[in-house]
Amino acid sequence: MTEILWALSRSTGLIALVLFTAALICGALVSGRAGRGRAASLLPAGLHRTLSLLAVVFLATHVVSAVVEGYVDIGWLATVVPFTAGWNPLGVGLGTLAVDLLLAITLTTAFRHRLSPHVWRSVHLSAYAMWPIALVHTVATVSVDVGLAWTVALLCLAAGTATLIWRARRPDHDAAARRLAPSDSWR
């Protein structure tokens, strides 16, 4: 059973990284208004939401299986308090930090209709910090199948970085309109 949980933890972690990278790309496309017309703007927004939720499911499976598996010393406290794991406290702590940021992003998104758009956007922008922290967590904790993990991490790094560069260079023509829009207009 331990070997199954160990493999489940490693595989779901890599899948979560790929899904978060894809969600980051779709989120940048949404915020950069890459497409024209209603259909083009709905596809990335819906895809961003779906990929994000799917990534959260894989991440939850990754975290639970890593703790329950028991081969290395990662207790439940280490899943919410960074740098407290008995095994690789820096690497696991970075993963915990990414999870904590994701929790803030997820909670503020769930209650977006009750928050000001400025508050929601400020917290949601922490995804741009969460993603590279998760990447570093991946390479800092890999101990088996190093080539596969590094390949996945490098591909995610290349795709995410290219997207972020594109987004940073993209003019934000409708920033003023977003600030004035009601907070529930995203539905």
Side-chain angles (χ1 to χ4, degrees):
M1 183 68 158
T2 299
E3 290 176 9
I4 293 171
L5 289 173
W6 182 86
L8 182 66
S9 175
R10 273 57 182 180
S11 60
T12 54
L14 286 177
I15 293 168
L17 179 63
V18 170
L19 290 169
F20 279 123
T21 302
L24 177 88
I25 292 167
C26 287
L29 292 174
V30 169
S31 68
R33 308 296 192 258
R36 296 220 183 261
R38 184 148 174 85
S41 66
L42 287 178
L43 178 63
L47 190 57
H48 170 70
R49 242 185 322 270
T50 301
L51 289 169
S52 297
L53 289 172
L54 192 56
V56 168
V57 170
F58 275 89
L59 180 64
T61 305
H62 169 67
V63 170
V64 169
S65 60
V67 172
V68 172
E69 174 257 333
Y71 180 72
V72 293
D73 185 16
I74 303 172
W76 288 109
L77 180 67
T79 65
V80 290
V81 180
F83 314 110
T84 59
W87 176 80
N88 194 348
L90 178 62
V92 174
L94 289 171
T96 303
L97 187 58
V99 168
D100 291 347
L101 287 171
L102 177 64
L103 186 59
I105 295 164
T106 304
L107 287 174
T108 55
T109 298
F111 296 103
R112 182 176 180 179
H113 63 285
R114 296 179 186 253
L115 300 171
S116 74
H118 176 73
V119 169
W120 174 82
R121 186 167 172 78
S122 297
V123 174
H124 206 76
L125 286 173
S126 67
Y128 291 120
M130 183 213 68
W131 177 74
I133 292 170
L135 270 169
V136 175
H137 161 76
T138 299
V139 297
T141 57
V142 66
S143 57
V144 176
D145 293 330
V146 175
L148 173 65
W150 273 84
T151 300
V152 169
L154 287 173
L155 289 171
C156 288
L157 177 65
T161 302
T163 301
L164 294 176
I165 290 170
W166 170 84
R167 179 62 187 105
R169 292 182 173 184
R170 185 106 174 139
D172 197 359
H173 297 296
D174 60 347
R178 273 199 321 273
R179 279 193 295 274
L180 297 174
S183 62
D184 64 346
S185 65
W186 65 283
R187 292 180 189 209

